[in-house]
Amino acid sequence: MAFLRASDTISGQEGKAFIKIGDRMEEMFYIKTLEATVEKEKAELKTMGHRGVQHKAIGWKGTGTMTIYYVTSLFRELMLEYMQTGKDAYFMIEVRNEDPGSDAGRQTVILEGVNLDSVIMASLDTEAEALEEEVAFTFENVRMETPFSPLA
């Protein structure tokens, strides 16, 4: 009987993310959480001889959020450039999950055409031990460079 060994689960702290804007690539060491989701878009169709509504996939959309520690001005600078010039930034984020204690190995996913939805431009909080900000984004493509290894 097969079962998942606890040691093969992936620790959320064992990973890295990188951002590439133009020719500039840097590690996103300030990320606390990142989640990117693909949602199918479906049309509802009714057909003769079938009383129920059927569904047909007609596309998809990619959205995401990341919570980051408030220690970088990068996203504010990108938003300011858009506000002042109308030039919008599309970039790539590479996410690596790699827990050395897991036999699942490494997974590398690349989000392409990432574009910011909203950015906190200024923040103060007397109750916060560390300032954080939530950054919402969309993306236009996903590549899986390296899938996890099959577990035996």
Side-chain angles (χ1 to χ4, degrees), residues 95-98 104-109 144-149:
V95 178
R96 297 179 192 167
N97 298 103
E98 186 173 21
R106 174 168 142 183
Q107 175 178 270
T108 303
V109 173
M144 185 176 298
E145 292 288 303
T146 311
F148 284 126
S149 300

Side-chain angles (χ1 to χ4, degrees), residues 5-150:
R5 295 180 314 154
S7 62
D8 286 332
T9 60
I10 305 298
S11 169
Q13 293 180 351
E14 299 292 348
K16 292 184 178 184
F18 300 86
I19 187 169
K20 183 176 183 187
I21 303 172
D23 293 333
R24 176 178 161 195
M25 180 98 154
E26 70 177 55
E27 185 171 350
M28 300 174 77
F29 58 85
Y30 40 79
I31 284 185
K32 182 177 178 185
T33 65
L34 185 144
E35 184 173 87
T37 303
V38 170
E39 181 180 340
K40 280 189 199 176
E41 293 182 350
K42 296 182 179 182
E44 291 185 353
L45 302 170
K46 293 182 180 180
T47 59
M48 292 293 190
H50 185 76
R51 290 190 182 131
V53 174
Q54 298 181 53
H55 299 88
K56 179 178 180 173
I58 59 170
W60 63 274
K61 65 179 178 178
T63 60
T65 58
M66 55 184 156
T67 302
I68 62 175
Y69 291 106
Y70 193 76
V71 297
T72 180
S73 296
L74 174 63
F75 302 112
R76 279 176 285 289
E77 291 168 348
L78 292 174
M79 189 61 81
L80 277 170
E81 182 167 352
Y82 172 70
M83 292 167 61
Q84 294 168 355
T85 69
K87 183 180 177 190
D88 208 355
Y90 290 83
F91 51 91
M92 180 204 81
I93 295 178
E94 178 179 320
V95 178
R96 297 179 192 167
N97 298 103
E98 186 173 21
D99 185 339
S102 172
D103 286 343
R106 174 168 142 183
Q107 175 178 270
T108 303
V109 173
I110 296 176
L111 307 175
E112 298 176 323
V114 177
N115 184 257
L116 302 174
D117 288 346
S118 63
V119 173
I120 294 173
M121 297 307 284
S123 180
L124 293 172
D125 184 347
T126 61
E127 300 295 320
E129 293 178 15
L131 286 177
E132 298 176 356
E133 59 184 304
E134 187 88 9
V135 179
F137 59 89
T138 57
F139 55 93
E140 297 177 354
N141 194 32
V142 179
R143 288 186 290 131
M144 185 176 298
E145 292 288 303
T146 311
F148 284 126
S149 300

